[in-house]
Amino acid sequence: MKNLIKILTMAFIGGVMVSCEKDEDQAIINETAAGKISSDKTVLVLNELTANDAVINFTWTKPTFNIAVVPSQEIEFGIKGDGFKKSASVDFPNDVTSGPVTHAAMNAAMFSIGATPDVVNEIEARLKTSVGSAAFYSNVIALKVTPYTPNPDLVYPKINVPGSYAGAAGYANWTPANSPNLFSPEKNDKYRGFIWINTVSGPEDGKYKFSINQDWAGNKGDDGTNSGKLKLDGADIKAPAAGTYYIKVDWAANTYSSVPANFGIIGDATPTGWNSDTDFVYNPATKTFVINSIMLNSSGFFKFRANDGWTLKFQPKKTDETLISGKSVQAYFNAEDTVDGDPGYKVSETGNYKIELDLHNSAYYKLTITKL
């Protein structure tokens, strides 16, 4: 019994000592001198063509502490005046006191913190040094940064939709690395997007599955119930009819949905008014949906809707209602809750137009209208 009491007592003391030791570590780590950072330039115009080149070089002195530590270090960026509430960082090895940041890395950071592309943004940068859960910061330096619109194909997570339909759509049949993709704009393991299927007449036509990392490993198909459930190495999914489909996949929950989405243009700016649609035609060479020529008047509005109904439609943000010939703008899909109100498009000049709708990436649907 005495031995048992001794063991329990020692265990309790040991636990207290560990707890005190951890609290003591946190209490005695003090910064004796703050880090200081500088840069070789303060005005940056980022360029995608030189994405891998250095756009700025930082130099810093490390903070010092009253005990020996092995900290990690990164340069942190934030919008001026935001107090780094939304920030992005570029990591550096803990044994360096200077280093470059490339156009691509800086642009990714700017995109992450919500900087506006193609205009000058007031940005703040500082050295962040971490010791365990404790963070220490240097002085803040001011930068003027003009980011570019990042390529959404490289920014957002995606899964692949290989199938027997893909070759006719401008890709390659049953090839994950060369197939349409579904993207996750929210980066939350939920993917969505469009595919175009030219025929389902043959027993093997119009079939597809879902893969990830552009390979067959970990691919998913129907669980055999045809009820929107997925499983690893599941069965091929066959579209019920030819046409365009809007597909959503919850990769973690193993579910999917697929609905027809064949788009056309309608409105009082078009020759047929609000009475009927002029349909888009898919172009496998450009992998876009195209109306090669249509007369549009400048006094009316038009919209892009699917299946001759109003359940699914593409619309603009308010600033993009009036389209400029040759200028691409982002289009917004009402089924994704990205549109406020019920705005329509218009043109500033009456004439014949070519309209191209690029739906290959759900993170950035792109609309281009060109006066002929």
Side-chain angles (χ1 to χ4, degrees):
M1 186 67 175
K2 290 181 179 178
N3 288 335
L4 177 59
I5 293 173
K6 183 183 291 186
I7 292 171
L8 291 175
T9 302
M10 291 301 294
F12 173 76
I13 293 172
V16 171
M17 289 178 66
V18 170
S19 177
C20 289
E21 186 177 347
K22 289 181 179 178
D23 291 341
E24 186 180 8
D25 282 349
Q26 293 177 359
I28 66 171
I29 297 176
N30 292 313
E31 188 182 47
T32 56
K36 188 174 182 179
I37 190 171
S38 61
S39 63
D40 65 344
K41 61 186 70 169
T42 57
V43 178
L44 312 178
V45 179
L46 306 182
N47 189 338
E48 190 171 19
L49 297 178
T50 55
N52 295 322
D53 294 345
V55 66
I56 188 172
N57 287 279
F58 291 97
T59 302
W60 60 90
T61 56
K62 295 182 179 183
T64 57
F65 301 93
N66 61 324
I67 61 172
V69 295
V70 182
S72 62
Q73 55 185 4
E74 58 198 76
I75 296 177
E76 187 178 34
F77 301 97
I79 301 291
K80 182 180 179 180
D82 188 47
F84 293 92
K85 291 177 183 176
K86 187 174 184 181
S87 65
S89 300
V90 176
D91 295 334
F92 287 89
N94 62 14
D95 60 344
V96 303
T97 55
S98 65
V101 177
T102 65
H103 287 260
M106 180 65 77
N107 202 70
M110 297 302 99
F111 177 77
S112 181
I113 64 177
T116 305
D118 305 318
V119 299
V120 177
N121 292 258
E122 300 283 344
I123 302 297
E124 294 179 325
R126 64 185 180 183
L127 176 69
K128 177 180 178 181
T129 305
S130 299
V131 182
S133 60
F136 302 88
Y137 300 98
S138 71
N139 59 305
V140 174
I141 59 176
L143 304 173
K144 295 181 183 294
V145 183
T146 304
Y148 55 83
T149 300
N151 183 345
D153 291 358
L154 303 178
V155 172
Y156 296 96
K158 64 186 177 183
I159 60 174
N160 328 117
V161 194
S164 60
Y165 74 95
Y171 300 87
N173 286 345
W174 294 114
T175 306
N178 188 11
S179 64
N181 299 305
L182 308 180
F183 287 81
S184 178
E186 290 80 25
K187 301 181 181 180
N188 61 356
D189 231 13
K190 295 180 180 179
Y191 301 85
R192 59 181 183 249
F194 293 87
I195 66 171
W196 178 78
I197 294 176
N198 71 318
T199 180
V200 296
S201 59
E204 297 302 314
D205 291 332
K207 289 186 174 181
Y208 59 91
K209 297 180 75 173
F210 305 111
S211 64
I212 196 164
N213 299 324
Q214 299 185 321
D215 204 350
W216 283 113
N219 78 87
K220 296 182 180 182
D222 193 89
D223 72 346
T225 65
N226 295 314
S227 61
K229 297 179 181 178
L230 295 171
K231 72 173 185 178
L232 286 173
D233 294 314
D236 295 345
I237 302 165
K238 185 176 173 72
T244 303
Y245 286 85
Y246 178 60
I247 299 177
K248 298 172 73 175
V249 172
D250 188 325
W251 194 256
N254 287 317
T255 59
Y256 75 98
S257 64
S258 175
V259 297
N262 298 297
F263 284 93
I265 183 175
I266 191 171
D268 56 4
T270 72
T272 57
W274 295 105
N275 296 316
S276 63
D277 300 69
T278 300
D279 293 334
F280 281 91
V281 176
Y282 183 77
N283 184 342
T286 60
K287 303 182 180 73
T288 59
F289 296 85
V290 180
I291 295 174
N292 283 307
S293 179
I294 186 171
M295 174 64 71
L296 298 175
N297 68 66
S298 59
S299 60
F301 282 87
F302 55 92
K303 297 180 182 180
F304 305 109
R305 67 176 187 172
N307 311 323
D308 298 329
W310 292 109
T311 302
L312 304 175
K313 54 189 174 181
F314 278 101
Q315 296 175 274
K317 287 293 181 71
K318 288 291 185 182
T319 54
D320 291 328
E321 282 189 2
T322 301
L323 298 171
I324 299 173
S325 176
K327 180 183 178 182
S328 298
V329 298
Q330 186 171 3
Y332 298 88
F333 193 31
N334 71 317
E336 296 168 356
D337 297 323
T338 54
V339 182
D340 295 323
D342 193 29
Y345 293 98
K346 66 182 302 182
V347 292
S348 59
E349 184 179 357
T350 298
N352 281 316
Y353 287 85
K354 177 181 178 180
I355 304 174
E356 189 171 32
L357 195 55
D358 184 348
L359 305 182
H360 88 276
N361 188 327
S362 58
Y364 195 95
Y365 301 121
K366 185 168 67 173
L367 171 67
T368 308
I369 186 167
T370 306
K371 194 170 186 296
L372 300 174

